[in-house]
Amino acid sequence: MFVCHDIRMTPALVWLIAAIVLIAAEVLSGDFVLVMLGLGALAGAGSAAVTGNAVIDVLVFAVASAGLIWIARPALKRRFLHGSGVKTGIEALIGAHAVVLSTVDGHTGRVKIGGDVWSARSLVEGQPIQPGTRVTVVEISGATAVVSPEP
């Protein structure tokens, strides 16, 4: 027996599909406009689910999209284009505090930075640093931390 169901798309579903398409398209543009429109379409979907009034749905979409474009978009662009100021990787180690595990001289030694053990050498040639001494990481040279004793 063959049964054909009448499939009708509710306005909320249409808004939801539009939101998904716009947000997915943002991956190609990277300008944060389409994602703002997609979020506005999500607001329109919410409005359609609650009110069922097309005029109100379009107004909610327009106000939400405009607000996001004028308020949220500039902040997001600043954050992603100029960075958050958070250092990562090797940059995050510069200025970090460490503890000497084995005597550090101008060529060899071991320090513990955070939870990791690193090979290390002293910033000043001929200035050995004894185990247990707190040091500051001045630079990273390859896989070696260049350190200086803390005052």
Side-chain angles (χ1 to χ4, degrees), residues 56-146:
I56 292 174
D57 303 343
V58 171
L59 285 174
V60 167
F61 166 73
V63 170
S65 295
L68 287 166
I69 288 171
W70 285 316
I71 296 169
R73 183 175 174 263
L76 281 172
K77 283 189 78 166
R78 270 193 308 277
R79 169 110 166 115
F80 286 105
L81 294 178
H82 301 296
S84 62
V86 175
K87 294 179 181 179
T88 59
I90 292 174
E91 288 180 356
L93 296 175
I94 307 300
H97 301 285
V99 176
V100 175
L101 298 177
S102 65
T103 302
V104 174
D105 58 25
H107 305 287
T108 63
R110 311 265 310 149
V111 296
K112 188 170 192 174
I113 306 170
D116 298 321
V117 176
W118 280 71
S119 60
R121 66 179 171 83
S122 176
L123 177 65
V124 179
E125 184 80 29
Q127 178 188 22
I129 306 170
Q130 299 305 315
T133 305
R134 288 186 49 83
V135 293
T136 301
V137 178
V138 178
E139 69 178 272
I140 300 294
S141 177
T144 302
V146 179

Side-chain angles (χ1 to χ4, degrees), residues 8-30:
R8 293 186 187 177
M9 295 180 76
T10 65
L13 186 57
V14 172
W15 281 109
L16 184 60
I17 291 170
I20 292 169
V21 168
L22 287 166
I23 291 170
E26 179 64 37
V27 174
L28 299 174
S29 77

